[in-house]
Amino acid sequence: DTGVSQDPRHKITKRGQNVTFRCDPISEHNRLYWYRQTLGQGPEFLTYFQNEAQLEKSRLLSDRFSAERPKGSFSTLEIQRTEQGDSAMYLCASIRDGAFEQYFGPGTRLTVT
Amino acid sequence: RKEVEQDPGPFNVPEGATVAFNCTYSNSASQSFFWYRQDCRKEPKLLMSVYSSGNEDGRFTAQLNRASQYISLLIRDSKLSDSATYLCVVRTGGFKTIFGAGTRLFVKA
C-alpha cells in the first residue's frame, strides 16, 4: 500500500454512460498525475495537477474527459459518453515537490460493454 | 516514433543469469530518468533513478548516455522474484512524465 487510494477499484459500465473516478493522494503531496494503461503498454500520461491547478493535459484527453482537483486535495476524473475504447486501467500518482518518486494508487479498471 | 522506446521482450532467463534492458528517448530536453517495476496487475513502483555517472543498487545497475539518448538497466544474478515488467521513464519540463511500453522479464528456476 503506497498511501494513494483510488475508488472504485473496478467499474463496468455500458457504452454511452458517464463514469467518475476518485483519487486520494498522499496528504503532503501537492502534485498529482492521472494515467491510462492498456494491456501490454506502459502508463500513458493524461493530465497533471500542481495543487488545484491543472497545468497540462494530454492530447489523449478528449472533450469527453475532465479532471478536477478542488482545494488541491483529492482529484476526480470523469469520462462522459463512454466508448469501448475507454476500457483501460486508470492510474493516479502523487509526488511531493522536489522529489523524484511518483507513488501510484492501485488503479481503477474500467470495462465498457 | 514513440517518445520512449524499449526492447519489446519478453526476456526468458534462468536464475542466476545477467540480463540487460535498453531504452531510447527522443526528446533531447529530457531531464530526469528512471526505471520502474510493475508486477502483474499491480501499480508501478520506482526501482531506481538513472544518473549520467551511472548508479548501482545491489544487483541492479543503471546507465544513462545523454549523447545517444539511451538508458540501460542491468540485472545481475537474476532471482525468481525479479520476474516483472520493467518500465523506462523519462521526465521533461519538470513534470511531464513519459513511460515506455515496458519489457517483460521471466526468470525461471
Side-chain angles (χ1 to χ4, degrees):
Chain A
D1 184 0
T2 63
V4 179
S5 61
Q6 292 188 244
D7 185 69
R9 295 289 302 275
H10 303 274
K11 179 70 177 177
I12 300 173
T13 192
K14 293 189 175 183
R15 188 163 51 94
Q17 298 295 305
N18 298 344
V19 295
T20 299
F21 309 142
R22 176 178 170 128
C23 171
D24 286 89
I26 295 171
S27 58
E28 63 266 28
H29 289 187
N30 64 329
R31 302 184 179 197
L32 185 147
Y33 293 78
W34 283 100
Y35 295 90
R36 180 173 68 189
Q37 187 173 26
T38 53
L39 196 62
Q41 298 298 314
E44 293 176 291
F45 172 83
L46 292 179
T47 191
Y48 165 77
F49 289 87
Q50 184 162 336
N51 300 310
E52 65 276 9
Q54 188 175 20
L55 297 186
E56 179 81 6
K57 286 175 61 172
S58 166
R59 287 189 298 274
L60 294 173
L61 220 61
S62 75
D63 291 345
R64 297 185 297 105
F65 288 71
S66 62
E68 294 182 340
R69 194 182 181 199
K71 303 177 184 177
S73 55
F74 70 92
S75 177
T76 58
L77 178 68
E78 181 183 15
I79 309 174
Q80 296 183 327
R81 304 181 303 282
T82 51
E83 301 173 357
Q84 287 189 318
D86 297 332
S87 295
M89 175 73 84
Y90 289 84
L91 291 162
C92 170
S94 71
I95 183 172
R96 60 176 175 80
D97 266 342
F100 290 120
E101 182 172 3
Q102 293 187 32
Y103 290 83
F104 282 82
T108 295
R109 183 170 296 281
L110 173 66
T111 302
V112 182
T113 61
Chain B
R1 181 186 174 193
K2 291 186 177 180
E3 290 186 72
V4 177
E5 297 206 57
Q6 296 187 237
D7 285 345
F11 285 64
N12 293 284
V13 302
E15 272 187 296
T18 295
V19 60
F21 303 143
N22 301 317
C23 171
T24 57
Y25 59 95
S26 61
N27 188 341
S28 58
S30 299
Q31 298 174 347
S32 306
F33 309 89
F34 312 90
W35 284 101
Y36 273 69
R37 170 189 169 133
Q38 186 171 26
D39 293 304
C40 188
R41 297 191 170 274
K42 296 284 191 178
E43 69 274 16
K45 292 186 179 178
L46 179 67
L47 178 66
M48 57 197 304
S49 301
V50 188
Y51 306 112
S52 296
S53 55
N55 48 304
E56 188 173 309
D57 182 2
R59 297 180 294 106
F60 298 83
T61 300
Q63 295 277 355
L64 165 65
N65 185 321
R66 285 187 182 270
S68 302
Q69 295 180 199
Y70 170 92
I71 305 161
S72 65
L73 177 68
L74 183 77
I75 305 175
R76 291 181 299 278
D77 189 23
S78 299
K79 311 291 184 191
L80 292 175
S81 57
D82 293 334
S83 296
T85 296
Y86 291 84
L87 299 161
C88 175
V89 183
V90 174
R91 185 175 297 164
T92 60
F95 58 84
K96 186 174 180 181
T97 306
I98 306 298
F99 284 73
T103 301
R104 293 191 74 182
L105 172 65
F106 295 98
V107 181
K108 51 189 189 294

